Amino acid sequence: MDQKQKITFAGVLFPNFRTIFPPSSHRESTYKKYAREYINHILPHIGNTPIEECTEDEFISVLQKIESIRSYKATTVDHFRFLMSAVVEFAVKAGECGNVLYGSKFHTGKGVTQAKILKNEVKQNRKSLTPEEEVAFLNKILLPPNKTTGTNVGLLLMCAGGLRNQEACGPNFESIRPREHSSDTYDLWIYESTIGTTSDLQASGKTKNMARKIPLSPALAKYLLTLKAYRQQQIANGDLILEKGESLETLPIVWMGNDFKKHCTSRALTVAGKKLLSEICDIQYGFAFDSKCFSDSKGTPLIRIRDVVRGYSETYTTEECGE
C-alpha cells in the first residue's frame, strides 16, 4: 500500500495563500509583495520540506541563509519570521503538524503580527494626517504674529481653507470681509492668485470656480485679524513704511520672507510645506507618467482625471510601471 504523500511547506502555502492572509485585511499589492518574498527568499530553502518535519532550528537556518545573501534590517527579518510562522500556524489548525514554533520568536504572539503589518500598510499608504499629526502640524504654524512667517500663514490657509498654494498666496488683508448680515463672522474672498512661481497676481486661477468666498471659522478669523492688527501696529511704529498707493488693506496676508509687501510664491509655500510635513510624518511621493511614453494602443491602460469624469480611457503608456 502506498504511503500517504507528506504535504510540504509550499504545499500548505500555495493552495491556502488567501486563507492564511484573508482579503478582508490585505490589499492586492500586499499579496503580490508576500508572494515575491516567499518565492524569492523562503521557498528556495524550505519549500520542499514536509511541514510535519519542519523545526524551529530549520526556520532559524532559513533566516541565516537569507541574511547571508543580504544584510536586512531587524524589522525585515521579523517580517520573514512572520511569513514562515503564518504558514505553520495554519498547518497546525489544519492538523498537518505540531506547533513547533509556539513560544519562540517566530510565534505571532511576539514580533511582527498580521495586525501590525496591516497597520504599517495603512500608515504608509494613507492620504491624510492622523489627529495627532494634525495637532503637531498646527502647533508648528500657529505662532504669534511677531514670530510667524508668511509660509506658516499660507499653510494655515491651505489646511483650513482647502486652498491651492497659488490661491493661498493671493489674498490681501482687504480679502478678509465680514458677512453682510453678521458683522462678527467673516469670509475670505479669493479672487486673485499668484502666477506660476512668481509673486505676480492674476485675477483667475487653475479652475473656473477659483473666485469664491471661503467661510472662516471663528478661530481662524480671529487669528487673521490679530495678524492684521499687528501689521497695523508695525506701520504705526514706523517699522513698516508704506509708499504712495499702498495701505494696510493692500498688503498680502501671505508674504515673502521678510518683505511684508511682497506676495509669497507658490514654490516657497510648497518647499515650506514639504519641510514641515517631513518633520511630523513619513512622506511617500507619487510621480507623473512621462507623456512621451503615451500610446493609443500599446502598453498599460492609463486612467487620468479627465477619464474619470467621462467614464472611459483611450490612453496607454509604454513606461515601465510598478505595482
Side-chain angles (χ1 to χ4, degrees):
M1 185 172 61
D2 294 335
Q3 287 187 330
K4 180 181 176 182
Q5 186 175 5
K6 294 182 179 180
I7 188 169
T8 64
F9 182 94
V12 174
L13 173 65
F14 286 135
N16 304 294
F17 187 46
R18 290 177 183 264
T19 304
I20 297 173
F21 305 107
S24 60
S25 57
H26 293 82
R27 296 180 173 86
E28 192 62 34
S29 59
T30 305
Y31 283 126
K32 293 179 181 179
K33 177 177 179 289
Y34 284 6
R36 286 198 305 270
E37 290 167 339
Y38 275 118
I39 293 171
N40 295 332
H41 302 292
I42 297 173
L43 295 183
H45 306 297
I46 203 169
N48 293 327
T49 303
I51 193 71
E52 65 181 30
E53 296 178 9
C54 292
T55 65
E56 181 183 356
D57 288 340
E58 286 186 85
F59 288 115
I60 292 174
S61 177
V62 171
L63 285 179
Q64 292 173 340
K65 291 174 182 176
I66 292 173
E67 291 184 277
S68 69
I69 298 173
R70 176 180 169 184
S71 177
Y72 289 97
K73 294 188 295 186
T75 53
T76 303
V77 176
D78 275 346
H79 177 60
F80 288 138
R81 284 195 186 95
F82 161 69
L83 291 178
M84 287 188 279
S85 65
V87 176
V88 173
E89 290 185 12
F90 178 85
V92 171
K93 293 177 182 178
E96 298 291 348
C97 66
N99 196 350
V100 296
L101 298 180
Y102 183 80
S104 71
K105 288 185 177 180
F106 287 85
H107 184 235
T108 53
K110 299 181 179 180
V112 181
T113 65
Q114 288 190 35
K116 288 182 180 179
I117 292 293
L118 178 61
K119 182 178 180 181
N120 289 338
E121 290 171 11
V122 172
K123 182 177 180 180
Q124 290 171 1
N125 292 285
R126 58 191 167 83
K127 295 183 179 180
S128 61
L129 300 179
T130 64
E132 294 78 12
E133 289 169 344
E134 285 188 6
V135 170
F137 180 85
L138 291 173
N139 284 339
K140 285 180 176 291
I141 61 176
L142 278 175
L143 302 178
N146 63 327
K147 294 184 179 181
T148 195
T149 64
T151 53
N152 277 349
V153 179
L155 293 173
L156 178 61
L157 292 182
M158 292 180 70
C159 179
L163 302 180
R164 296 183 175 89
N165 50 6
Q166 291 177 329
E167 294 172 346
C169 293
N172 298 324
F173 282 113
E174 65 179 357
S175 302
I176 307 171
R177 303 182 185 182
R179 293 184 179 177
E180 185 176 353
H181 302 293
S182 179
S183 59
D184 59 345
T185 57
Y186 294 82
D187 292 321
L188 183 66
W189 287 44
I190 307 297
Y191 55 89
E192 289 182 313
S193 64
T194 53
I195 302 173
T197 58
T198 72
S199 294
D200 300 328
L201 298 180
Q202 59 182 351
S204 62
K206 182 176 180 180
T207 59
K208 292 181 180 179
N209 66 340
M210 176 267 180
R212 60 199 188 278
K213 292 187 290 186
I214 304 296
L216 296 176
S217 68
L220 181 56
K222 181 180 179 180
Y223 183 83
L224 294 178
L225 292 173
T226 301
L227 179 64
K228 182 177 181 179
Y230 175 72
R231 196 71 77 241
Q232 178 66 69
Q233 189 63 48
Q234 286 180 296
I235 296 172
N237 293 341
D239 298 327
L240 178 58
I241 308 299
L242 300 181
E243 304 296 335
K244 184 177 181 179
E246 296 177 337
S247 69
L248 171 65
E249 300 297 329
T250 63
L251 294 178
I253 297 176
V254 180
W255 64 97
M256 185 70 175
N258 295 321
D259 191 342
F260 299 117
K261 300 181 182 181
K262 185 177 181 180
H263 287 265
C264 182
T265 65
S266 60
R267 175 164 180 75
L269 196 52
T270 298
V271 170
K274 287 182 177 180
K275 182 177 183 299
L276 190 151
L277 287 173
S278 68
E279 294 173 358
I280 63 174
C281 61
D282 296 323
I283 304 175
Q284 182 176 351
Y285 295 104
F287 62 93
F289 286 95
D290 187 351
S291 59
K292 295 178 182 179
C293 298
F294 286 1
S295 166
D296 58 4
S297 60
K298 298 180 180 179
T300 304
L302 185 64
I303 300 175
R304 293 180 286 178
I305 294 176
R306 70 193 71 171
D307 301 325
V308 175
V309 176
R310 63 184 185 176
Y312 64 92
S313 173
E314 297 175 329
T315 307
Y316 293 77
T317 178
T318 57
E319 185 174 352
E320 184 177 346
C321 304
E323 293 179 8

